[in-house]
Amino acid sequence: MRVLLVEDDEPVAESLRRGLKRYSFEVEWVTTGAAALAHTGPYDVVLLDLGLPDTDGLDVCKALRARSNVPIIVISARSDETDRVVGLELGADDYVSKPFGVREVIARIRAVMRRVQPRSAEGTGPDRYGPRLTVDRKAARVHLDGEEVSLAPKEYDLLSFLTEEPGALMTREQIMEAVWDANWFGPTKTLDVHVAALRRKLAGAITIEAVRGVGFRLVVNEGEAADGGNGNVS
């Protein structure tokens, strides 16, 4: 996922860059509003500081929203409720007050992307993964061989997250933060339970590989499954 970071405070920016890159985000960093508005490279989400040296970040937010639907998360030391309300009214999708942790920012990015995904996918129909599986993110429905599969809410969230990047290795920490909560302190055994449920319900259509001590990787099975295997890999 590509992030445009607009932040003039170098220590804050470097901390965010390091943290985001550990989670496989690609980060482009600019320090002024003018540079943000002039940036032509593709990006999936904007992290926008309000206290910029050349212009008010709220004006940058308004200009960015006028030309694109890319999600904008405002990051600012301003904690006044008025600034929050104005930022959201100008088109920001979320607001994070300084000081904040990198995990909180990542969790908010994941949450915003899940919220806006139906908006960006509107009119395009369900996403297909191989010949057997479709995920309709707009309706939050999953079909296997044309038949709807009944998934618990967290089973659906887990499948939706893993299918964002088929083949990519996701750590347990990444998955727990994205699907559950950045402040989750319970046992990660719940993740294994949900993975096992998806393996059972979507047997043959996908394989969820377990990388011992690291996390999981979802692989789309392109051919028809002849043996109805459960896709377990240890």
Side-chain angles (χ1 to χ4, degrees):
M1 189 179 297
R2 298 159 298 188
V3 177
L4 176 60
L5 173 60
V6 189
E7 172 62 73
D8 68 314
D9 188 321
E10 184 172 350
V12 171
E14 286 294 349
S15 176
L16 270 173
R17 288 178 72 189
R18 287 194 303 270
L20 290 170
K21 286 182 176 181
R22 282 200 302 270
Y23 285 82
S24 301
F25 288 84
E26 299 176 19
V27 182
E28 289 288 336
W29 173 32
V30 297
T31 59
T32 65
L37 295 175
H39 194 278
T40 58
Y43 46 85
D44 302 301
V45 62
V46 179
L47 297 180
L48 174 63
D49 181 28
L50 293 186
L52 300 173
D54 61 333
T55 186
D56 193 312
L58 291 173
D59 292 331
V60 178
C61 178
K62 183 178 180 180
L64 289 174
R65 177 54 66 235
R67 69 189 194 190
S68 171
N69 284 327
V70 171
I72 301 170
I73 300 177
V74 167
I75 52 176
S76 179
R78 304 180 189 176
S79 58
D80 186 84
E81 184 179 359
T82 301
D83 283 321
R84 289 175 177 265
V85 172
V86 172
L88 294 172
E89 288 182 344
L90 289 176
D93 294 272
D94 205 347
Y95 193 113
V96 184
S97 296
K98 297 178 181 178
F100 51 76
V102 172
R103 289 186 178 184
E104 178 185 1
V105 174
I106 291 172
R108 287 179 181 270
I109 290 174
R110 297 291 190 190
V112 164
M113 295 306 293
R114 286 196 297 273
R115 289 202 304 269
V116 303
Q117 204 154 26
R119 181 177 69 194
S120 62
E122 188 171 352
T124 63
D127 296 315
R128 177 169 290 277
Y129 300 95
R132 305 183 60 194
L133 178 67
T134 59
V135 179
D136 187 341
R137 288 179 165 83
K138 184 178 180 181
R141 301 172 72 178
V142 175
H143 288 80
L144 178 66
D145 297 330
E147 297 291 329
E148 185 168 0
V149 181
S150 177
L151 298 181
K154 286 303 179 186
E155 291 171 359
Y156 172 81
D157 291 343
L158 176 59
L159 177 66
S160 182
F161 176 69
L162 292 176
T163 51
E164 286 178 6
E165 297 183 69
L169 175 60
M170 300 296 183
T171 67
R172 284 178 169 271
E173 187 175 35
Q174 285 175 292
I175 297 170
M176 294 303 296
E177 288 180 349
V179 177
W180 276 265
D181 188 273
N183 298 315
W184 175 269
F185 294 109
T188 61
K189 185 67 176 176
T190 187
L191 172 56
D192 299 277
V193 171
H194 284 74
V195 166
L198 289 181
R199 285 171 169 166
R200 183 180 67 257
K201 294 180 180 182
L202 303 175
I206 58 170
T207 299
I208 302 179
E209 301 175 348
V211 179
R212 195 179 304 278
V214 182
F216 295 93
R217 178 190 296 112
L218 182 143
V219 178
V220 176
N221 297 336
E222 295 297 338
E224 295 289 342
D227 59 359
N230 62 9
N232 287 319
V233 175
S234 59

